[in-house]
Amino acid sequence: MYVTLTTRPDLSAAVNYYSQFQSSPTDVHWTHLKRILRYVKGTLDFGLEYTADDDANLMEAFCDADWANDISDRRSITGYLFKVFNCTVIWTTRKQRAVSLSSTEAELCALCEATCDGVWLTRLLEDVGYYSDEPVLYHEDNQSTIRIIQEPRDRSRLKHIDVKDCFIRNLVKKKSIALKYTPTKMQ
């Protein structure tokens, strides 16, 4: 877990998934764990490289969710990462707290979690002297989620996700963040 949180974002999703079986693993889980360990052994030279890229945005984010793919409890998985000057600095993969009723809701929950971390990271960067006049760009692959944030309409069917929607919409209005559609394959 330490390695995934500090140096290897490529392991984040696998470790997140299999850690839920720690209390009662089966032979199938052990087989998959050995596969992950073989991957780690074969990629020991892999790591994050930090190089100065003065032309890059101060900060940008990539955010995604899988909708109800875990057949045991149907909760979605949130995944996001942040780049500062084009260097990956924060990444997260975690199961969402509640079951999402649609892919749009799962994506909105993921985007909300990412923007919370993004607000924190923006403040941290400002504390150390890095300011940007440009909003933080969030790459999102769900067009319905982007439309919900950008178009104020009747949302009576979305009341259950209205708080997250309002939080993100306020950040967009303040020009703290900007949303950009980025297809899944480009994420």
Side-chain angles (χ1 to χ4, degrees):
M1 187 65 95
Y2 173 77
V3 170
T4 14
L5 294 175
T6 59
T7 61
R8 297 289 299 264
D10 57 330
L11 299 173
S12 186
V15 169
N16 173 271
Y17 179 77
Y18 287 106
S19 64
Q20 69 183 328
F21 302 108
Q22 288 182 66
S23 62
S24 57
T26 65
D27 289 339
V28 172
H29 299 120
W30 181 246
T31 301
H32 289 291
L33 174 63
K34 289 191 291 187
R35 182 176 182 193
I36 294 168
L37 291 173
R38 280 193 301 276
Y39 171 77
V40 169
K41 183 179 179 184
T43 58
L44 287 174
D45 314 356
F46 285 22
L48 296 175
E49 184 177 318
Y50 293 99
T51 57
D53 187 354
D54 296 330
D55 296 329
N57 295 336
L58 172 62
M59 186 169 95
E60 69 179 324
F62 295 82
C63 179
D64 201 6
D66 77 338
W67 177 48
N69 276 347
D70 188 340
I71 59 171
S72 62
D73 62 7
R74 290 297 184 194
R75 291 191 317 190
S76 303
I77 304 293
T78 290
Y80 56 87
L81 70 81
F82 285 90
K83 291 185 170 202
V84 173
F85 293 120
N86 210 26
C87 296
T88 302
V89 295
I90 293 178
W91 55 89
T92 297
T93 303
R94 76 170 61 110
K95 192 177 279 198
Q96 293 181 359
R97 293 182 182 102
V99 174
S100 296
L101 301 177
S102 67
S103 61
T104 301
E105 181 181 356
E107 293 281 349
L108 187 60
C109 290
L111 183 59
C112 186
E113 283 188 44
T115 54
C116 287
D117 273 4
V119 168
W120 173 84
L121 184 56
T122 300
R123 289 178 182 158
L124 176 68
L125 290 169
E126 288 172 354
D127 285 348
V128 296
Y130 288 98
Y131 299 91
S132 176
D133 295 333
E134 298 295 317
V136 177
L137 184 59
Y138 283 77
H139 297 272
E140 172 60 53
D141 69 346
N142 187 289
Q143 294 181 35
S144 298
T145 298
I146 294 172
R147 270 195 299 277
I148 285 172
I149 300 299
Q150 293 176 337
E151 297 174 10
R153 286 201 251 176
D154 176 31
R155 290 183 171 54
S156 58
R157 293 185 334 184
L158 302 174
K159 186 174 182 180
H160 62 289
I161 56 176
D162 199 40
V163 173
K164 292 174 177 64
D165 173 32
C166 288
F167 172 72
I168 298 168
R169 192 175 318 116
N170 286 338
L171 291 173
V172 170
K173 279 183 185 175
K174 291 187 332 188
K175 297 191 186 228
S176 298
I177 70 169
L179 297 175
K180 177 182 178 188
Y181 172 69
T182 304
T184 302
K185 291 191 187 288
M186 300 302 292
Q187 289 260 30

